[in-house]
Amino acid sequence: MVLHPYLDDNSVLLIQIFCLNAIYVPDPSGQRAGKVISHPGQILELNTQSQLGWTAVPVFDSDYVRSGVHSAPLFQGSPSAEFLQSVISQPMKDVMAEVVLNNLLTVANTKKFVDTQANKRGQELSQLVLHCMDKKIRK
């Protein structure tokens, strides 16, 4: 969801993170996109229990779209109505400073989290998807 989808210092991209208990099944022919389906005997549904967290990032920096790789705090649950109202009328930096102290997701092992965050090794998601495909389909 974009709040203020026009050139404005208060334009914000609201990102909500959901979890689905699902399976990705690639197309056997490799010619079409695969399907995301529920586990056998379960219903695939997206509801309030599925929402893990949210964050928000400013869209513009002066007269330009903010592009590149961004880090943003992740908050548990859904954004409050007060936050949404505040972010429309105030700079993102000020609003985030108010909520960051109380709503950050808890981390059980802080040292492990910091080490993992600092270590940017590994493959991109697109490479992992390709790795799971048959050799003929990969090409």
Side-chain angles (χ1 to χ4, degrees), residues 37-122:
I37 61 171
S38 63
H39 287 280
Q42 296 180 354
I43 298 171
L44 187 62
E45 75 180 322
L46 193 62
N47 54 34
T48 55
Q49 287 79 29
S50 306
Q51 186 167 1
L52 297 179
W54 64 275
T55 192
V57 292
V59 177
F60 299 107
D61 184 12
S62 300
D63 292 338
Y64 303 96
V65 173
R66 296 178 65 112
S67 62
V69 177
H70 304 282
S71 295
L74 183 60
F75 300 96
Q76 193 168 11
S78 301
S80 67
E82 295 84 22
F83 171 82
L84 296 174
Q85 194 60 40
S86 296
V87 80
I88 290 172
S89 59
Q90 298 175 30
M92 180 71 178
K93 191 183 297 184
D94 297 342
V95 177
M96 286 302 250
E98 293 175 21
V99 297
V100 82
L101 298 176
N102 301 324
N103 297 324
L104 280 174
L105 291 173
T106 58
V107 177
N109 186 339
T110 308
K111 183 183 179 329
K112 186 175 182 180
F113 174 79
V114 171
D115 291 346
T116 303
Q117 182 65 20
N119 184 1
K120 300 287 184 185
R121 295 184 308 170

Side-chain angles (χ1 to χ4, degrees), residues 114-134:
V114 171
D115 291 346
T116 303
Q117 182 65 20
N119 184 1
K120 300 287 184 185
R121 295 184 308 170
Q123 297 178 345
E124 293 182 14
L125 183 59
S126 59
Q127 294 301 316
L128 292 172
V129 170
L130 284 173
H131 181 72
C132 294
M133 294 179 165
D134 291 336

Side-chain angles (χ1 to χ4, degrees), residues 21-42:
N21 190 8
I23 303 169
Y24 174 76
V25 179
D27 178 55
S29 69
Q31 302 300 315
R32 293 181 300 263
K35 295 180 181 179
V36 176
I37 61 171
S38 63
H39 287 280
Q42 296 180 354

